[in-house]
Amino acid sequence: MTEADFGAGAEPVGPQEVQVGAGGDPLMIGIPVFVVGSLVLGMALIGVVPAAALPGIVPVILAATALFQTISTVWAALLGQGMVACIFALFAGFWASLAGLLLGLTHNWYGVAATQSASQIQLMFFIAWDVVFFFLALVMLRLPSVYPAILVLVLAAVTMVILGIEFPSAAQPLNVAAGACVLAFCGLGMWVFLHIGSVALGGPPRPALGPALLK
């Protein structure tokens, strides 16, 4: 008896391999949601909203950026794109933990209502992420130059936030400078989105992303 005896619709015998995530580009989701979260943070830092209203960015950075960058992480992992998955996972973790920090300190979930304690918690948070982003920037030197440029601006923004926490008297201008860096890397992020959108729709790989800085 052969396979033909069962007809075209017969189920095969034995376990079968199922292919998941057969194609596509996770950057198509991961980049624009990264930009939208960064935009609300940048606008908040330059003073579009009062400092007391900063937790108002949580719906965007948590329900949009962190969530959909997590989805992009899974998508990249299914495609075997380990570095892309790593980058998206790190940024998803940053945005989700930033949302937790803002909500927790605002509602005193962590028992650090005192101003000095809250400042030390924020300082610890941003220093930890600054260290991770520094080494991520070194790894990304092997990617097209627009990507390490984004990370350099991320590092600059986070570092200025750290200095603003450490030196409260200079916090306002430092936060504005940090916000300007954030808005600058948002512009680079949309540059990347134009590139990957063109490629995804069958167009040329433009605008160019620049050569890798390290071979």
Side-chain angles (χ1 to χ4, degrees), residues 11-177:
E11 293 186 3
V13 178
Q16 301 297 310
E17 180 180 349
V18 177
Q19 187 173 7
V20 180
D25 187 353
L27 293 174
M28 289 299 301
I29 293 177
I31 292 295
V33 296
F34 168 76
V35 170
V36 72
S38 301
L39 279 173
V40 296
L41 176 60
M43 288 188 288
L45 287 171
I46 64 174
V48 172
V49 297
L54 186 60
I57 72 173
V58 168
V60 174
I61 67 173
L62 184 59
T65 305
L67 173 61
F68 285 95
Q69 286 206 308
T70 300
I71 292 171
S72 298
T73 299
V74 175
W75 184 358
L78 290 173
L79 293 175
Q81 298 177 4
M83 195 63 222
V84 176
C86 170
I87 293 168
F88 281 144
L90 288 174
F91 276 102
F94 170 77
W95 293 111
S97 58
L98 178 60
L101 178 73
L102 293 173
L103 289 175
L105 292 180
T106 300
H107 298 286
N108 193 26
W109 291 346
Y110 311 130
V112 289
T115 302
Q116 184 61 30
S117 296
S119 295
Q120 292 306 308
I121 293 295
Q122 293 176 58
L123 197 60
M124 179 176 64
F125 175 89
F126 287 109
I127 288 174
W129 279 110
D130 212 23
V131 170
V132 171
F133 289 147
F134 173 77
F135 286 100
L136 180 60
L138 295 181
V139 172
M140 291 177 71
L141 290 175
R142 295 187 180 276
L143 295 177
S145 54
V146 67
Y147 293 109
I150 290 172
L151 259 292
V152 167
L153 288 168
V154 169
L155 281 168
V158 176
T159 300
M160 281 184 277
V161 170
I162 291 169
L163 293 174
I165 296 169
E166 187 68 21
F167 305 104
S169 61
Q172 199 274 334
L174 284 168
N175 284 341
V176 170

